[in-house]
Amino acid sequence: AQTVTQSQPEMSVQEAETVTLSCTYDTSESDYYLFWYKQPPSRQMILVIRQEAYKQQNATENRFSVNFQKAAKSFSLKISDSQLGDAAMYFCAYRSINDMRFGAGTRLTVKP
Amino acid sequence: GAGVSQSPSNKVTEKGKDVELRCDPISGHTALYWYRQSLGQGLEFLIYFQGNSAPDKSGLPSDRFSAERTGGSVSTLTIQRTQQEDSAVYLCASSPAEGISTDTQYFGPGTRLTVL
């Protein structure tokens, strides 16, 4: 079974600064998708960004970007110009035709 | 527009009782997922419905867990003879996907289940 590992249970960042959340995964499949989801205290999971494995270009959504290293099976999330509203749990997820896995999450705190 | 809704938002039950959790997906979404999120943990996949295909039940932890999806829309997750370790937040998600290439999941707010 594929595994998704988020090695940072907690991270903190100063408002307006940049933070990077790590995610690694293990797979033998070639066709898959990777996601970062945000879960604020309201419990509502929100899609932040997605990356198709066949695309070499890193996905970007406004202040959120990823560093996708397919050979290293690494998929980190960079949040630029952090805002107080970015404080939440962040989950990395893997999806293929055969499997779907979520990491254990990273709790991000944003300090004013 | 309306998102994924789940009811109840909170459920407290006694050990040994049966519970039903409901999920209303986004209209037109063909795929529906159930997850369990235990305190401080990530999401554990439970079951997946895709259109009229047989559901993928590979994540159900025991035969006390079952789920149905009626008419390709509303889904009910049933937990029989609840145990204290069933206490968790149960999240539902739907997706417009016909395949994984467009499988972006939209999550509901979850049901927090507490088994006393």
Side-chain angles (χ1 to χ4, degrees), chain A residues 39 43-44 47 50 95 100, chain B residues 35 37 101 103 107 109-110:
Chain A
Q39 186 181 40
R43 293 200 314 243
Q44 188 86 41
L47 177 68
R50 60 175 271 158
R95 178 77 168 102
M100 176 168 42
Chain B
Y35 297 91
Q37 185 177 27
S101 62
D103 186 27
F107 284 80

Side-chain angles (χ1 to χ4, degrees), chain A residues 9-53:
Chain A
E10 296 185 354
M11 290 285 283
S12 85
V13 62
Q14 203 71 36
E15 194 176 5
E17 297 293 311
T18 295
V19 65
T20 298
L21 308 184
S22 300
C23 174
T24 59
Y25 58 95
D26 178 33
T27 185
S28 57
E29 297 174 310
S30 59
D31 186 18
Y32 55 89
Y33 295 78
L34 299 163
F35 305 84
W36 278 98
Y37 284 92
K38 170 185 177 181
Q39 186 181 40
S42 67
R43 293 200 314 243
Q44 188 86 41
M45 294 273 283
I46 304 163
L47 177 68
V48 174
I49 199 165
R50 60 175 271 158
Q51 174 81 42
E52 293 88 342

Side-chain angles (χ1 to χ4, degrees), chain B residues 8 19 37 56 77 94:
Chain B
V19 295
Q37 185 177 27
D56 176 359
L77 176 70
S94 72

Side-chain angles (χ1 to χ4, degrees), chain A residues 5-12 19-24 36 75-78 88-92 103-108:
Chain A
T5 302
Q6 293 180 248
S7 59
Q8 306 152 318
E10 296 185 354
M11 290 285 283
S12 85
V19 65
T20 298
L21 308 184
S22 300
C23 174
T24 59
W36 278 98
F75 182 61
S76 60
L77 174 69
K78 184 172 83 171
M89 283 289 289
Y90 285 81
F91 293 96
C92 177
T106 296
R107 182 176 301 282
L108 179 66

Side-chain angles (χ1 to χ4, degrees), chain B residues 52-116:
Chain B
N52 296 320
S53 302
D56 176 359
K57 304 180 181 180
S58 59
L60 294 178
S62 77
D63 59 8
R64 297 187 295 106
F65 288 73
S66 63
E68 292 184 343
R69 189 178 185 193
T70 54
S73 181
V74 172
S75 178
T76 302
L77 176 70
T78 301
I79 308 173
Q80 296 178 307
R81 305 181 302 280
T82 53
Q83 304 295 313
Q84 289 182 331
E85 60 263 29
D86 299 335
S87 296
V89 174
Y90 289 83
L91 290 167
C92 173
S94 72
S95 165
E98 291 296 334
I100 67 164
S101 62
T102 55
D103 186 27
T104 295
Q105 296 178 40
Y106 298 82
F107 284 80
T111 294
R112 182 179 298 281
L113 174 66
T114 303
V115 182
L116 301 176

